[in-house]
Amino acid sequence: MSAMLDPRSLTVVVTGATSGIGEATVRRFAGAGAQVVVMGRRKDRLEALRDELGARILPVELDVRDAAATEAAFAGLPAPFADYNVVFANAGLALGLEPSQQASLSNWDTMVETNINGMLYTVRACLPAMVARKEGHVVLTGSIAGEFPYPGANVYGATKAFVKQFSLNLWADVAGTGVRVTNIEPGLVETEFSMVRFEGDAGRAQKVYAGAEPMTGADIAEQVFFACTLPRHVNINRIQAMPSRQTFGNMTVRRD
């Protein structure tokens, strides 16, 4: 049986690294000895991670919705962080839960710009170097919303369906190059996700998780860590996980 990869041999780039699943993933890899590039929009949180976790952390302020800035961020990484071999394109968000006929076009635009365009810009910026080095792992953050619809998910769910299919097509492109691709598809995870979705309404956000024993960012980080430390001849295409109290809903029947 092939040995698991030594995390101390990994240089990991995480977008959306300042909270939730991204931050937990930074802590998981850094705690195991990996070097981690932390990318996000909140400079103070990036620097706080570096101050806490030490010299293995490189903070890079970045909005992944800016294609040129994303390209420059990857191209400008200094040694020894330039030879990254894991990129976790994690930046994303949900906004609103209104039905499509009432939803904000601005919210729709922001979700597409972040969850689709930002993810694409990240992958396109990092991929050529990993293919050239014949070593790498691209990890994407999908969602069960990309497979199972629910009222109000409209564009959010559609963006995550895009992530799911892109991850499979990306794997078809890079298979045999030494680059692996994994899509992480969580169910209910208690992070800042609902606070963002409901524009800071803490009471409404808390109701999403009340009594449900949701997963945590650390639970998802462990899944990312597992996929990325498996022997290089093994590719995990998708990891879909739910808390034990979440399952599939019945089909809705609207009756007069």
Side-chain angles (χ1 to χ4, degrees):
M1 179 178 177
S2 299
M4 300 288 280
L5 298 183
D6 185 345
R8 294 172 295 181
S9 70
L10 299 178
T11 297
V12 182
V13 181
V14 180
T15 70
T18 58
S19 65
I21 293 170
E23 181 184 352
T25 301
V26 171
R27 294 181 182 281
R28 180 66 178 93
F29 277 98
Q35 297 182 127
V36 187
V37 180
V38 293
M39 293 183 171
R41 293 182 297 166
R42 291 177 283 193
K43 184 178 180 180
D44 57 333
R45 293 196 181 190
L46 298 173
E47 292 177 345
L49 281 170
R50 179 198 56 202
D51 293 345
E52 177 188 348
L53 300 175
R56 288 195 301 272
I57 302 297
L58 176 68
V60 176
E61 187 177 2
L62 176 66
D63 185 340
V64 295
R65 296 175 297 180
D66 185 330
T70 303
E71 184 76 27
F74 278 90
L77 290 174
F81 296 94
D83 291 335
Y84 48 84
N85 43 19
V86 173
V87 174
F88 184 23
N90 169 69
L93 77 170
L95 294 171
L97 201 58
E98 297 80 15
S100 296
Q101 67 271 23
Q102 298 171 9
S104 159
L105 277 176
S106 175
N107 285 349
W108 279 8
D109 285 342
T110 300
M111 286 186 281
V112 169
E113 290 164 2
T114 308
N115 300 355
I116 295 180
N117 294 348
M119 180 271 296
L120 292 177
Y121 299 156
T122 300
V123 172
R124 190 61 182 81
C126 74
L127 193 60
M130 289 197 289
V131 170
R133 290 193 293 268
K134 299 182 180 180
E135 179 193 2
H137 199 146
V138 175
V139 183
L140 308 179
T141 298
S143 169
I144 63 168
E147 184 159 356
F148 306 108
Y150 60 88
N154 41 70
V155 167
Y156 173 70
T159 65
K160 293 305 184 179
F162 182 98
V163 173
K164 177 180 70 174
Q165 192 60 37
F166 178 74
S167 74
L168 297 174
N169 288 339
L170 179 60
W171 175 233
D173 283 343
V174 302
T177 67
V179 177
R180 300 186 289 180
V181 181
T182 300
N183 188 30
I184 303 293
E185 303 174 17
L188 193 64
V189 184
E190 186 168 8
T191 63
E192 293 181 3
F193 177 87
S194 290
M195 283 287 284
V196 173
R197 169 170 255 172
F198 299 130
E199 299 179 338
D201 186 334
R204 193 177 179 192
Q206 184 54 42
K207 287 180 182 178
V208 174
Y209 309 111
E213 294 186 56
M215 296 183 292
T216 66
D219 293 327
I220 309 307
E222 194 63 36
Q223 296 167 32
V224 177
F225 186 85
F226 166 74
C228 292
T229 53
L230 282 171
R232 294 197 188 282
H233 70 281
V234 180
N235 188 77
I236 300 295
N237 298 340
R238 302 168 63 188
I239 297 180
Q240 187 178 96
M242 298 178 180
S244 298
R245 293 192 176 193
Q246 185 178 34
T247 187
F248 314 106
N250 294 325
M251 293 292 183
T252 299
V253 179
R254 304 287 187 185
R255 303 184 188 278
D256 293 333

